[in-house]
Amino acid sequence: MAEEFQKWVLMVTAQTPTNIAVIKYWGKRDENLILAINDSISLTLDPTHLCTTTTVAVSPAFNQDRMWLNGKEISLSGGRYQNCLREIRARASDVEDKNRGIKIAKKDWENLHVHIASYNNFPTAAGLASSAAGFACLVYSLAKLMNVQEDNGKLSAIARQGSGSACRSLYGGFVKWVMGKEENGSDSIAVPLVDEKHWDELVIIISVVCSRQKETSSTSGMRETVETSALIEHRAKEVVPKRIIQMEEAIQKRDFATFTRLTCADSNQFHAVCLDTSPPIFYMNDTSHRIISCVEKWNRSEATPQVAYTFDAGPNAVLIARNRTSAALLLQRLLFYFPPNSETDLNSYVIGDKSILKDVGIQDIKDVEALPPPPEIKDPAQKYKGEISYFICTRPGRGPVLITDESQSLLHAETGLPK
Ligand code: DP6
């Protein structure tokens, strides 16, 4: 490349959703390639409420790969970042921007450095899995910048090497991560089952539970489970394969009763193998258990289930309601049992799609205080004020997209440094 062209910066910005597993991934057969011991299925969540935005830039002026996460520089030296960067670079193609006279040949990519800026639109402190959306967005945006000619399935196998659950964020709707058989992981990829429109009646309410406890990371937690639990093998070999078949069918048919039975059972079995780990891993806390009781009681009092619950490696509940009517009735129950602290206003207590609050007929805190106990409760109902930080109302969402509006990019067009 000629000296006079050394000043340019070429950028791409993308947005990628998070996902919540309804049949859980827990346990690896290869730690480095991140290959799972069972298939898993997830639901992609609407990126309007939960997503990662990433800008990637390349310039001959950059002298090393650098990354900023939520404005703070972080190290890229970890094996997972290095694996993703290496796999993407190996697939780069020629890139040309005729208007700006920029030309990058395939072979140039190995000597060019990138800047990466990533931002989550939800609080990282909330303990919601951000690595899934994060690695999916890193891989997707780099693939677009480097003109990688591979489909999202192939890209999912690269995102998987950043974090297993990340591979499922390459698609919208319901997604299956096929564990694969190959030793090199080439067939361990995400496959879209149905898009986000197929079952768009579903409403998701995430209850972010207050917790001071530092949780075991998924990576070390699942390693310890595979090493010490006798139940995990039974789960991976006997239980999950059957559930995957049943779950796919329930999703195709929008059979909410079967969907709920499988989702709740699989979440509970995941937490059971955590408890079967030595030393035992506790991800759920008393608040999580109270939410399960509330949902179980309500579902049992109705002719057919209204809400499915699922919990990842932390105490937060992800509640999937069959439609808007049941979501409103759910939120009513949640606000009854878990009213906010006196200093919290309703506007910051229920975030995301706030229109569900209107369906409940709640305008301010006084309306919350006036909520009657749910009819299925026989004993005088106890309340647990302040146990929940906030609720996020959302819906099924789409897969990754490119953002063409330059004002939304996270890096300066001239310097390639964070804005
Ligand atoms: C409980 O994908 O975070 O959320 O592959 O080690 O990065 P690594 O783990 P990660 O594990 C997610 C576990 C889970 C279940 C799931 O998402 O399937």
Side-chain angles (χ1 to χ4, degrees), residues 19 21 23-26 28 34 40 80 131 162-166 168 218-219 222 270 312-313:
N19 70 77
I23 300 291
K24 304 289 185 196
Y25 145 54
W26 196 252
K28 296 182 183 72
I34 310 195
S40 55
R80 291 174 171 213
S131 67
S163 183
S165 53
R168 299 183 311 234
S218 302
T219 307
M222 65 177 85
F270 153 52
D312 274 350

Side-chain angles (χ1 to χ4, degrees), residues 98 328 411:
K98 284 211 175 95
L411 296 168

Side-chain angles (χ1 to χ4, degrees), residues 87-98:
E87 293 302 309
I88 284 287
R89 271 201 175 96
R91 291 164 176 80
S93 311
D94 296 349
V95 170
E96 186 169 11
D97 183 333
K98 284 211 175 95

Side-chain angles (χ1 to χ4, degrees), residues 3 6 19 28 49 61 67 125 178-179 202 223 257 331 358 415:
E3 279 298 312
Q6 300 279 302
N19 70 77
K28 296 182 183 72
H49 308 124
M67 175 160 180
V178 181
M179 63 179 280
L202 300 177
R223 184 187 305 130
L331 191 57
K358 290 205 193 77
T415 60

Side-chain angles (χ1 to χ4, degrees), residues 17-37:
T18 56
N19 70 77
I20 176 72
V22 291
I23 300 291
K24 304 289 185 196
Y25 145 54
W26 196 252
K28 296 182 183 72
R29 60 189 165 87
D30 185 312
E31 287 265 344
N32 179 46
L33 286 170
I34 310 195
L35 301 176
I37 58 170

